[in-house]
C-alpha cells in the first residue's frame, strides 16, 4: 500500500528522512481493528518523529501520522484515538502508553491497524476530513481548556501563537464555550484570522493585554513564556502542551509564579472519554475544525514543508488516493 513514512532520522533536516512509496499492508491481530483511511491530518508530532524525538532508529521505517478517520472492517465510519496502551487494551497492562507512530505504524497510508478499544464512531455531522483533525491538536486544546485550565463561561483566556493547530482549536472552542479569548501572533494576517474565528482581540507577541487573564494556553514555549506568566491574574493557570520555539526561556519568572500563586500545568493529548466529548461537542454545536489545506497523500511532502515553514493556519489534511 502507498504510504508516507520515516526512512531516516535527521535532527537538523527532518524532511530528508521522509519517503513516499509502498509499504506492507497491516496484518490482522487479536484485539485490533484495521481501518481504511479516508483522511489523516498532520501534526508537529510528525516533524518531531522525523527528528528522532519519540521515534528510535531501530523502529524504522515507520509510517507517520497519528490522526485519522475512515471505515473499519465492518463498514462503520470511525475516528481513531491516537494514544495506544492508555487502557492496556490490545497491548497488555505492562506496556507504557505511547502516541501512534512511536511504537506502531501510523495513519499516512491506505490502511492502519489499532487496538479496537481505540476506535470510536464518527458522528454523521462531521466529514472524514473534519473528524481527522480532532484526535491530537483539537483534543489537546480541549483538555487544556476544560480539564487542566478549568475555565468556565465568562472567564478570560490568552492563546499564544494563533495559526498553529492547537492554538486555532483553543480559539474556536473557547469562543463556543463562552470564554473571552485573546490571541497573539507575529503575523498580521493570522491576527486578523484569529479575530474572525472568535478572539476578542489579537496582538503581537509580548503586547500588554487590556486585562490579566484567568488562563493561558501555551504551545510556543521559550519565545512567549515570560509574556504568558506576566499576563495571568493572581492565582491564574498557565497550561503548556508544547514548546515549538524551544524549552529554555531566558526568564523563567519564578518570583512572579510563587508570589502570585500561579499554577503551571503540563498537558499531553487527552483521554478517549474526552475525545468522545469533543466529537459530541462539535456535532451538536456546529463547531468545525479549521482546515488550512487538503492534499492527496502522494503530495504529503508539500504538507510537511508547509507545516515546517509555519505557513499554515489550522490543520493540513492528507487524503489517500481513492
Amino acid at each position: 500500500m502507498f504510504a508516507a513514512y520515516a526512512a531516516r532520522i535527521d535532527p537538523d533536516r527532518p524532511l530528508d528522512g521522509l519517503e513516499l512509496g509502498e509499504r506492507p499492508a497491516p496484518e490482522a491481530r487479536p484485539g485490533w481493528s484495521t481501518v481504511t483511511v479516508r483522511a489523516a491530518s498532520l501534526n508537529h508530532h510528525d516533524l518531531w518523529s522525523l527528528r528522532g524525538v519519540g521515534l528510535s532508529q531501530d523502529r524504522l521505517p515507520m509510517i507517520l501520522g497519528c490522526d485519522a478517520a475512515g471505515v473499519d472492517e465492518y463498514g462503520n465510519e470511525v475516528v481513531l484515538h491516537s494514544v495506544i496502551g492508555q487502557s492496556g487494551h490490545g497491548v497488555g497492562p505492562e506496556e507504557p502508553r505511547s502516541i501512534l507512530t512511536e511504537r506502531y505504524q501510523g495513519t499516512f497510508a491506505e490502511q492502519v491497524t489499532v487496538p479496537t478499544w481505540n476506535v470510536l464512531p464518527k458522528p454523521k455531522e462531521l466529514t472524514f476530513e473534519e473528524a481527522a483533525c480532532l484526535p491530537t491538536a483539537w483534543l489537546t486544546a480541549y483538555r487544556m481548556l476544560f480539564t487542566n485550565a478549568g475555565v468556565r463561561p465568562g472567564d478570560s483566556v490568552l492563546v499564544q501563537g494563533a495559526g498553529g493547530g492547537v492554538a486555532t482549536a483553543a480559539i474556536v472552542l473557547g469562543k463556543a464555550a463562552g470564554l473571552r479569548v485573546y490571541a497573539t501572533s507575529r503575523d498580521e494576517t493570522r491576527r486578523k484570522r484569529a479575530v474572525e474565528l472568535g478572539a476578542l482581540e489579537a496582538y503581537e507577541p509580548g503586547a500588554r493585554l487590556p486585562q490579566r487573564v484567568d488562563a493561558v494556553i501555551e504551545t510556543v514555549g521559550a519565545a512567549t513564556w515570560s509574556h504568558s506568566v506576566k499576563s495571568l491574574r493572581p492565582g491564574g493557570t498557565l497550561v503548556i502542551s508544547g514548546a515549538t520555539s524551544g524549552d529554555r526561556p531566558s526568564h523563567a519568572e519564578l518570583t512572579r509564579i510563587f508570589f502570585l500563586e500561579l499554577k503551571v500545568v503540563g498537558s499531553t493529548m487527552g483521554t478517549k472519554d474526552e475525545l468522545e466529548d469533543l466529537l459530541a461537542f462539535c456535532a451538536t454545536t456546529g463547531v468545525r475544525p479549521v482546515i488550512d489545506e487538503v492534499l492527496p497523500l502522494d503530495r504529503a511532502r508539500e504538507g510537511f514543508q508547509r507545516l515546517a515553514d509555519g505557513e499554515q493556519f489550522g490543520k493540513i489534511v492528507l487524503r489517500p488516493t481513492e
Side-chain angles (χ1 to χ4, degrees):
M1 65 177 183
F2 188 79
Y5 61 95
R8 293 170 299 280
I9 299 297
D10 191 326
D12 299 317
R13 299 172 60 89
L15 294 189
D16 285 357
L18 177 66
E19 296 284 353
L20 305 179
E22 294 297 315
R23 296 297 304 151
E27 296 181 1
R29 53 190 296 181
W32 288 54
S33 294
T34 298
V35 174
T36 299
V37 178
R38 295 290 180 82
S41 68
L42 273 163
N43 292 284
H44 278 282
H45 175 74
D46 302 305
L47 286 174
W48 286 114
S49 295
L50 288 166
R51 292 187 174 100
V53 178
L55 178 60
S56 57
Q57 191 79 32
D58 62 329
R59 291 197 171 99
L60 300 180
M62 176 65 74
I63 298 172
L64 297 170
C66 48
D67 287 353
V71 179
D72 70 9
E73 55 263 78
Y74 303 106
N76 301 307
E77 296 185 353
V78 298
V79 183
L80 304 186
H81 178 48
S82 307
V83 184
I84 307 299
Q86 190 172 61
S87 65
H89 285 78
V91 299
E94 299 302 319
E95 181 174 315
R97 69 176 184 173
S98 64
I99 298 174
L100 197 64
T101 75
E102 291 178 340
R103 293 174 179 267
Y104 301 102
Q105 301 293 327
T107 62
F108 294 164
E110 295 169 35
Q111 289 186 318
V112 63
T113 297
V114 298
T116 302
W117 184 87
N118 287 71
V119 178
L120 291 80
K122 180 184 78 66
K124 64 181 185 303
E125 294 87 353
L126 300 177
T127 67
F128 285 109
E129 290 80 9
E130 291 166 345
C133 295
L134 299 178
T136 295
W138 278 67
L139 178 59
T140 297
Y142 185 92
R143 180 176 177 82
M144 291 177 79
L145 283 169
F146 305 123
T147 301
N148 288 328
V151 289
R152 299 179 298 176
D155 284 348
S156 55
V157 175
L158 169 63
V159 178
Q160 298 280 21
V166 174
T168 303
I171 294 169
V172 176
L173 291 171
K175 168 65 174 178
L179 304 176
R180 290 173 290 143
V181 181
Y182 301 98
T184 67
S185 176
R186 293 174 296 177
D187 183 79
E188 182 179 359
T189 300
R190 290 186 172 198
R191 293 196 295 271
K192 290 180 179 178
R193 286 289 306 278
V195 173
E196 291 171 1
L197 290 175
L200 289 175
E201 297 288 346
Y203 305 93
E204 294 184 358
R208 185 181 182 89
L209 303 182
Q211 65 179 95
R212 290 185 179 177
V213 296
D214 296 293
V216 175
I217 302 302
E218 173 65 85
T219 59
V220 179
T224 55
W225 181 262
S226 181
H227 181 241
S228 292
V229 175
K230 291 177 180 178
S231 297
L232 283 169
R233 64 162 176 80
T237 303
L238 192 163
V239 185
I240 179 168
S241 70
T244 55
S245 66
D247 61 0
R248 300 182 183 184
S250 57
H251 299 287
E253 306 293 349
L254 296 181
T255 302
R256 184 178 292 268
I257 288 172
F258 73 71
F259 188 74
L260 296 180
E261 297 188 319
L262 305 179
K263 293 180 283 292
V264 177
V265 182
S267 190
T268 299
M269 298 287 287
T271 67
K272 179 182 175 181
D273 288 343
E274 287 168 328
L275 180 55
E276 288 179 320
D277 292 342
L278 172 59
L279 288 165
F281 184 80
C282 290
T284 57
T285 63
V287 167
R288 296 293 182 269
V290 179
I291 295 177
D292 177 81
E293 188 174 25
V294 178
L295 294 169
L297 182 58
D298 58 10
R299 292 172 58 192
R301 185 173 294 277
E302 296 176 36
F304 271 85
Q305 188 65 62
R306 186 168 176 81
L307 182 66
D309 293 341
E311 295 179 351
Q312 88 290 352
F313 192 101
K315 298 291 291 178
I316 297 171
V317 177
L318 301 178
R319 195 162 47 194
T321 304
E322 298 180 4

